[in-house]
Amino acid sequence: TVFSPRETDALLGAARALAKLGSYDEVLSLTNKCLAVQGLSDSARLDIYRLRFQVLSEVGDRIDALRTLIFLAENDADLKMREVH
């Protein structure tokens, strides 16, 4: 799927709003769509994974939350954030 960066930002914004409302299935669906976008920036990808980690932890999906955390630990450019993950 090809989206403009603004469309990706809009999807991520919608996912964040849905997370605040507790609509976790919709959040995971939107973040999956975001991750399928070609040419997604590294910072956007990290933001998406951070949101996914929050949601997966909240719903108790420990395996996928752990996979997400591993991605964050391996890919975050900020060394301090890598240590946090």
Side-chain angles (χ1 to χ4, degrees):
T1 308
V2 178
F3 287 105
S4 75
R6 296 183 86 186
E7 289 171 308
T8 303
D9 290 342
L11 285 173
L12 184 54
R16 286 184 177 129
L18 289 167
K20 289 180 182 178
L21 296 172
S23 299
Y24 299 128
D25 288 337
E26 290 87 351
V27 172
L28 295 174
S29 176
L30 282 177
T31 56
N32 282 336
K33 286 181 184 180
C34 288
L35 291 171
V37 171
Q38 294 175 358
L40 186 65
S41 72
D42 290 341
S43 64
R45 188 172 306 279
L46 288 171
D47 286 342
I48 293 164
Y49 271 92
R50 286 184 191 110
L51 179 58
R52 286 184 63 81
F53 177 72
Q54 283 181 304
V55 169
L56 292 167
S57 297
E58 186 70 29
V59 298
D61 189 341
R62 293 185 179 124
I63 299 297
D64 281 338
L66 181 58
R67 288 183 184 128
T68 302
L69 189 60
I70 290 168
F71 176 88
L72 289 168
E74 290 176 345
N75 293 285
D76 203 323
D78 185 347
L79 293 177
K80 288 182 183 179
M81 287 305 293
R82 278 191 191 183
E83 291 177 12
V84 169
H85 302 306

